[in-house]
Amino acid sequence: MLLSEPTAGMGGCRPGLLPMLLALLGIAWAEMQSLQLREEQAPMPGALSRKESFLLLSLHNRLRSRVHPPAANMQRMDWSESLAQWAQARAALCGAPAASPVSASGATPQLGWNVQLLPVGSASFIHVVGLWFSEGQQYSHAAAECDPNATCTHYTQLVWATSSQLGCGRHPCSGAQAELEAFVCAYSPGGNWEVNGKTIVPYKKGAWCSLCTASVPGCFKAWDHAGGLCEVPRNPCRMSCRNHGHLNVSTCHCHCPPGYTGRYCQVRCSVQCVHGRFREEECSCICDVGYGGAQCATKVHFPFHTCDLRIDGDCFMVSSEADTYYGAKMKCQGKGGVLAQIESQKVQDILAFYLGRLETTNEVTDSDFETRNFWIGLTYKTTKDSFRWTTGEHQSFTSFAFGQPDNQGFGNCVELQASAAFNWNDQRCKTRNRYICQFAQEHISRWDPGP
């Protein structure tokens, strides 16, 4: 079907001759037209496949991320089936504007159009979009104008910053002397607005995403994007909770269902504490006095070790073997104690002095250690956004080395660092360190004083 009416800006050519002229001269046009969107419209015959739609949308966003100069307010596009239906209807008319039925809402959104007519089989839709973008080589962003005798309106519509919805269609049609194919894309909101007869610039120049508005404050950048695109932050935390956990987007913390724990609810937790208190954050038990093991089911028989240090009645035992943080925690618990809790400067000073002297004697029987450092029972809890002792208490005293902690969320466990005079450092929990177990007065009271 041939064009049934002249197109604005084309000099009023006869409708039957226009498609052929466009095909022969390689001319295409972008046109603004006020059209009704109809959400509940039946699928059009010959509509693009889901894969083709995805590829066209991805290409548009990729090209929009590569404009030069960079765009500060370029929005990410989403696919619209309503626009795709309108584009398909217009393609079926060889690019002529389709009729605009009135919807119940009465809204008439301004749409932007890119239309191309080419001989059948001469180009793919991906190639056509590339041709539209290549018009940017003839466009000057600083002057906000196209080179003389050149066409840039397809380019400016494709990279119009506030156009956030896209729909495209393709359809063969008959010309006067050749078989043609119509390629049509519809954009909402449209672009190519003019002031005093001159088209305004399609986007604001600046650092990517630096001028995103409050309605689209997120910044999207795919692996194949050169810059970021403003988007509605569907998930500003850039994370998801597994096993039906609920994400609090205000705090970026997962609330896990019963039986699961971990930052992403990824750890199945079925621990039952026989003689102890369950700690949901770590999916572990804090044992009652006299019991140890993973489930606090093992009766601890005292005495089992003489104290390396006694500080204010508490007993501190320094290991001669190495383990990960959680391995060390379980070994202390298996003996009826906990990883050391340093809650005063006095305890810190005495331990630092003792460990400094211990280093000179090299009293290590297990060679499988990675550092000269020692684990204590302090870890960073993302759900609490703070460091907590193994027993769940918030630390009131700190002795972090200068510049520490420096990698919260990555080094979640705390060690006494030899190179920093045994002040504290946050470290990866999988590091194999020696460790310090602590037994409080209530533990020691169970010990048999012996002969």
Side-chain angles (χ1 to χ4, degrees):
M1 188 174 188
L2 300 182
L3 289 175
S4 58
E5 58 177 315
T7 303
M10 297 303 296
C13 295
R14 285 186 299 146
L17 185 59
L18 180 57
M20 180 53 59
L21 289 174
L22 291 173
L24 294 176
L25 298 176
I27 299 174
W29 75 96
E31 173 190 354
M32 293 308 305
Q33 179 72 26
S34 174
L35 291 180
Q36 284 302 126
L37 286 182
R38 186 171 57 185
E39 299 296 336
E40 303 295 332
Q41 195 170 18
M44 295 288 295
L48 299 177
S49 67
R50 183 169 298 181
K51 180 179 179 180
E52 290 175 306
S53 302
F54 172 79
L55 291 176
L56 285 174
L57 175 64
S58 300
L59 178 60
H60 271 75
N61 281 324
R62 183 165 66 250
L63 295 177
R64 287 164 70 86
S65 78
R66 297 184 177 184
V67 294
H68 184 77
N73 65 330
M74 186 72 72
Q75 291 192 32
R76 173 177 177 263
M77 281 187 165
D78 290 314
W79 188 262
S80 167
E81 284 301 328
S82 297
L83 290 179
Q85 291 170 5
W86 278 111
Q88 188 64 38
R90 183 160 184 173
L93 297 176
C94 285
S100 173
V102 179
S103 67
S105 63
T108 56
Q110 293 290 326
L111 302 184
W113 295 95
N114 274 353
V115 180
Q116 184 87 47
L117 291 174
L118 292 173
V120 171
S122 63
S124 67
F125 215 144
I126 297 296
H127 179 68
V128 170
V129 175
L131 290 177
W132 294 343
F133 187 73
S134 67
E135 291 178 2
Q137 299 174 11
Q138 283 78 48
Y139 183 78
S140 170
H141 189 276
E145 61 185 17
C146 195
D147 290 347
N149 301 320
T151 299
C152 299
T153 49
H154 305 91
Y155 167 77
T156 51
Q157 175 56 80
L158 194 156
V159 301
W160 200 267
T162 54
S163 294
S164 59
Q165 298 288 317
L166 171 71
C168 300
R170 177 189 61 218
H171 198 276
C173 54
S174 298
Q177 298 180 3
E179 292 297 318
L180 303 178
E181 191 168 18
F183 300 89
V184 179
C185 283
Y187 303 84
S188 178
N192 287 340
W193 305 120
E194 294 183 355
V195 174
N196 297 328
K198 185 176 181 180
T199 304
I200 63 177
V201 290
Y203 61 85
K204 299 290 186 182
K205 173 185 174 182
W208 296 104
C209 294
S210 59
L211 291 178
C212 296
T213 62
S215 60
V216 284
C219 189
F220 172 78
K221 184 176 181 180
W223 66 272
D224 57 351
H225 286 195
L229 304 175
C230 302
E231 70 165 350
V232 176
R234 296 179 177 85
N235 184 351
C237 303
R238 298 296 185 190
M239 61 179 285
S240 60
C241 304
R242 304 177 190 174
N243 299 307
H244 305 290
H246 173 68
L247 176 64
N248 184 329
V249 295
S250 298
T251 61
C252 293
H253 292 155
C254 289
H255 299 285
C256 303
Y260 294 93
T261 188
R263 184 180 182 187
Y264 308 107
C265 304
Q266 78 278 18
V267 180
R268 186 170 182 82
C269 185
S270 58
V271 175
Q272 294 182 348
C273 304
V274 180
H275 297 284
R277 175 168 55 90
F278 176 66
R279 287 212 64 205
E280 183 177 358
E281 287 179 337
E282 294 184 353
C283 188
S284 63
C285 299
I286 300 297
C287 295
D288 297 336
V289 175
Y291 291 91
Q295 297 183 331
C296 303
T298 304
K299 182 70 175 177
V300 177
H301 299 285
F302 301 110
F304 59 88
H305 196 282
T306 57
C307 295
D308 292 311
L309 283 172
R310 283 182 181 266
I311 307 174
D312 292 337
D314 286 0
C315 171
F316 293 85
M317 184 194 78
V318 181
S319 77
S320 58
E321 61 181 4
D323 211 329
T324 64
Y325 172 86
Y326 289 105
K329 172 188 169 185
M330 294 310 301
K331 287 181 177 177
C332 289
Q333 183 166 296
K335 293 178 171 65
V338 294
L339 274 174
Q341 296 189 183
I342 304 175
E343 300 179 289
S344 70
Q345 190 66 56
K346 175 183 178 180
V347 176
Q348 172 67 26
D349 290 346
I350 294 175
L351 281 176
F353 174 79
Y354 179 82
L355 295 176
R357 296 286 295 272
L358 184 66
E359 283 297 299
T360 63
T361 65
N362 195 29
E363 297 180 6
V364 180
T365 59
D366 186 346
S367 61
D368 185 23
F369 67 96
E370 299 175 359
T371 70
R372 297 182 297 127
N373 306 331
F374 295 82
W375 290 126
I376 59 175
L378 190 66
T379 54
Y380 180 77
K381 300 300 179 187
T382 55
T383 55
K384 303 290 185 181
D385 195 25
S386 64
F387 284 93
R388 298 294 177 108
W389 293 111
T390 301
T391 55
E393 301 171 16
H394 179 76
Q395 109 280 358
S396 56
F397 167 78
T398 63
S399 187
F400 280 105
F402 179 76
Q404 304 297 333
D406 61 351
N407 53 357
Q408 295 178 20
F410 178 72
N412 284 345
C413 297
V414 177
E415 63 184 6
L416 300 182
Q417 191 174 44
S419 62
F422 293 103
N423 285 304
W424 305 358
N425 172 59
D426 53 335
Q427 181 61 271
R428 294 188 64 179
C429 302
K430 291 184 178 181
T431 303
R432 294 183 65 83
N433 287 337
R434 284 169 284 176
Y435 52 92
I436 305 172
C437 298
Q438 179 180 358
F439 307 88
Q441 282 280 15
E442 57 181 345
H443 300 98
I444 300 173
S445 65
R446 298 290 188 92
W447 296 4
D448 182 356

